[in-house]
Structure formats: C-alpha cells, structure tokens
Amino acid sequence: MIILIGGEKGGSGKSCLAQNIAVYLRNEKQASVLMVDCDPQRTTSDWIQERNANEALLSINCVQLYGKIRNDLLSLRQHYDYVVIDCGGQDNLALRSSMAVADHILIPLRPKRRDLKTVPHMEDILSTCKMVNPRMNAAFVITQCPSLPSLAGRILEAKEVCRSFEVPVLNSVTFSRNMYDDSEESGMSVMESEPKGKAAIEIRSIIEELLTRENGESYESFQPQKIQAVG
C-alpha cells in the first residue's frame, strides 16, 4: 500500500505527519515500511539518519526520489507492506507521479487563510490524477490547530472550506504541540516519546481514520477519540 503525504503549501507539517505515520505502521502494526523522501530539504532523510543511529528504536528504510517516480513506486511497493511518501510543499512531478499510484493521499492544511487558498488547486490536481488512479482515497487533514477553545471556530471553518470543494476532510486533527518538534529532533515519533500523550492520540486517530477506507467506510462514519485541545 502506498500512502502519500503531500500538498502545495509548505509548513503544514507534512514531514512530521509522514514520519509519525511510518512509525505507527512499523511499531504498532509490525509492518515493513519504506519512507520515500521527495523533498529537496531532506527533512525526513535527516530524521531517518538520526533514528537509525539509535539502536533502541526500530529502524525504517528510506530512499530519496525526485521527478517522474511512478515506476519506481510501483516497483518498491512489491517489497514492503507500506510505502510512505513525504512530498515537499509544491506542485511538482514527484507529487503528481505519486498521486497517480497512491492508495491513500493525505493533504495537511493549517487553519489559516494562506493554506486554505490552495484548496481549489489541490482539488483540481486530485481530479486530474483520479482519472488515472480512480481507486485513490484522498482527504485533507487540519494540522497545527490553535489550542485555545475560543479559536475552535477556525478549525470548523477550515473543514467547511475543504468540504465545499467536495474533498473529504478527516474528523481527526493535530494541535500545535512542542512534542512534535521535540520527538522529531531525536529521530523519534510522538508515540515513542510519550506513548499515552495527546500528540500520540492525535496521530493514532489520524492514521486509523485514514485506513477506515480500506474497509469501505466513509470518513464521516469515523468517530475519533476525544482530544483535549488545551495543554
């Protein structure tokens, strides 16, 4: 199975989300996982190097691919249970090539106007790619949400913008938490740094909701665990 974490807007936490999803699949599903780093900034490649230097952590393989990578991905998927792709924040050949073969596509967006302005273009890209990959399941996920209850309206508004373009949006979200940065710097996931912490709950909820489509369920039918915003 190929899971793509990508989108047109940078800074929305794509690498962080891809890394944590890969660890979830590796640790909690005991699956063989390959990460594909398509971002020239090499964020995930550097994270993998840091991780694999720690013998206490389960290692994860990683390759760097750029440009027209469709055939490479089709070949790699035969050797792993999951291929998790981290695409940079731009519309490029790697993103579109990945969309052409991905089973699941997750597009992170912050609840900010400049992020939401990319939704129409992403919907257009998804529509184009779905003509060659009709079985792909794509969804937006709102990330780095403000933790103040008084700003919860921003999250709801962001979800409504996504739905207005008839693209599913996950019920699960991530909040802005230091734990994401702290764990990434040490080559870990939030589930390893703080297994029962709020960030770990968020990641588990996102990946479990995303994979409900394997069983033919809709995202709307998924009820994530109750997540506390404050703290």
Side-chain angles (χ1 to χ4, degrees), residues 198-230:
K198 296 172 184 176
I201 293 173
E202 291 167 7
I203 292 297
R204 290 190 184 98
S205 183
I206 285 172
I207 185 62
E208 288 167 8
E209 182 174 1
L210 181 70
L211 296 182
T212 56
R213 279 296 184 92
E214 287 184 270
N215 301 318
E217 300 177 36
S218 66
Y219 294 123
E220 289 73 15
S221 67
F222 182 87
Q223 296 299 322
Q225 297 185 50
K226 185 177 180 181
I227 299 172
Q228 296 180 4
V230 180

Side-chain angles (χ1 to χ4, degrees), residues 1-202:
M1 178 176 293
I2 297 176
I3 300 175
L4 166 64
I5 315 299
E8 187 181 2
K9 189 70 183 71
S12 58
K14 288 181 289 295
S15 296
C16 178
L17 195 55
Q19 294 159 13
N20 278 279
I21 287 174
V23 172
Y24 171 92
L25 296 170
R26 181 73 177 90
N27 288 3
E28 302 192 18
K29 295 294 186 181
Q30 291 80 50
S32 59
V33 179
L34 173 72
M35 293 205 72
V36 176
D37 189 355
C38 301
D39 189 345
Q41 295 184 14
R42 291 174 45 92
T43 302
T44 286
S45 297
D46 292 342
W47 174 81
I48 284 285
Q49 186 174 8
E50 186 76 24
R51 176 182 183 81
N52 290 349
N54 187 342
E55 295 181 356
L57 302 175
L58 289 177
S59 62
I60 297 176
N61 292 331
C62 179
V63 296
Q64 296 172 347
L65 296 175
Y66 307 103
K68 297 179 180 180
I69 62 176
R70 178 180 181 275
N71 290 336
D72 295 303
L73 295 174
L74 290 175
S75 176
L76 290 168
R77 79 185 304 172
Q78 299 179 42
H79 304 286
Y80 293 88
D81 296 323
Y82 293 93
V83 175
V84 180
I85 307 170
D86 173 19
C87 266
Q90 56 183 312
D91 176 11
N92 55 24
L93 280 175
L95 178 64
R96 292 185 180 237
S97 296
S98 301
M99 284 185 171
V101 295
D103 299 286
H104 294 282
I105 300 170
L106 196 56
I107 306 167
L109 292 172
R110 294 169 296 184
K112 298 182 178 182
R113 181 170 298 180
R114 59 180 177 270
D115 282 37
L116 297 175
K117 286 173 68 175
T118 68
V119 172
H121 189 214
M122 287 308 305
E123 189 276 333
D124 184 60
I125 296 173
L126 289 170
S127 297
T128 300
C129 291
K130 196 149 191 174
M131 288 189 286
V132 296
N133 184 14
R135 296 182 61 186
M136 74 178 188
N137 294 310
F140 289 107
V141 59
I142 309 303
T143 59
Q144 302 177 22
C145 296
S147 57
L148 291 176
S150 60
L151 298 179
R154 290 188 182 183
I155 305 172
L156 298 176
E157 290 172 7
K159 289 184 176 184
E160 286 305 312
V161 169
C162 297
R163 293 191 184 104
S164 70
F165 287 89
E166 299 183 353
V167 177
V169 57
L170 299 190
N171 292 316
S172 307
V173 303
T174 69
F175 288 93
S176 182
R177 303 187 191 280
N178 292 333
M179 179 55 65
Y180 287 108
D181 292 333
D182 294 343
S183 62
E184 183 176 359
E185 289 177 1
S186 57
M188 300 176 71
S189 73
V190 295
M191 291 157 289
E192 293 164 322
S193 298
E194 197 173 85
K196 296 183 179 180
K198 296 172 184 176
I201 293 173
E202 291 167 7

